[in-house]
Structure formats: C-alpha cells, structure tokens
Amino acid sequence: MVGACLIWGTAAHAADIDGQWSRGDGNARVTIAPCGSDICAINTWIKPGTPKEKEGDKLVMSIKPDGDGLYSGSAFDPQRGLTYRLTVTVKGDRMTTKGCIVAGLLCKGIDWTRID
C-alpha cells in the first residue's frame, strides 16, 4: 500500500501516525503529514525494481479513530482507481495497515516501522 490522506475528527488524532514509516518488506518508505484539512502519506522512496509503485504515489484514506490506536474507514488509490475498506493499527513505532477489496474477500496487511 502506498501513502495516505486521512480525514480526522481533530488533528490530535493524527499525531499517532504522523512521520516517516518504512514498510516491513523494506521496499518502500512513506511520509505521513497534514495536507490541507486531511493527512497524506506519500511514497518518498521505492526500492529500485519494485513493480507498480513509484515515488510520489499516495493513498487517500478517510478513516476515523476507533480508540486505542485503531482507525477504520476507506481508502482510495488514485494511481490504480481502486477503493479499499481499511483498518490501521498504531502501537508506538509500529503500524499495520489492512486493506480489503471485492466486498472484503481480498485483503492484504502491511506492517510498518517508524523511522527518524
């Protein structure tokens, strides 16, 4: 999954996910930060040879906090024209994103680690 624009009830909720994140497979890094009234995560680095991804790709997410570092809602990938059902779990310097398509039948989870 690429970056993300997040719609929040208040900016305070965004602090949990703001920053630089490295994908668990080591093939991508994203920056999550405010953009207008939303929060965007944008690919800032892609390992050479990684298919279907490039620097600057973003994922536009409309999620709301469900408490204790859990967020849920939807995400739109403008590069691929796909909308996902999305959950994000943030615990300290670890984050997991899980996106599902086709009425929740096809899902993929990705682990992330906060970087400086």
Side-chain angles (χ1 to χ4, degrees), residues 12-94:
H13 295 294
D16 291 341
I17 64 171
D18 282 357
Q20 303 280 328
W21 296 89
S22 177
R23 195 165 66 196
D25 64 7
N27 290 342
R29 293 182 189 146
V30 299
T31 296
I32 299 177
C35 61
S37 62
D38 298 329
I39 296 176
C40 293
I42 300 171
N43 283 348
T44 57
W45 179 84
I46 299 296
K47 183 177 180 180
T50 301
K52 301 180 182 178
E53 293 185 74
K54 65 183 188 303
E55 288 181 25
D57 282 354
K58 68 179 173 181
L59 188 69
V60 180
M61 299 190 298
S62 298
I63 60 177
K64 294 183 180 182
D66 289 340
D68 201 28
L70 179 65
Y71 305 87
S72 63
S74 63
F76 176 66
D77 181 341
Q79 290 78 221
R80 292 164 193 84
L82 295 172
T83 298
Y84 304 87
R85 190 175 74 222
L86 182 72
T87 58
V88 178
T89 306
V90 179
K91 293 186 180 183
D93 289 341
R94 302 272 184 214

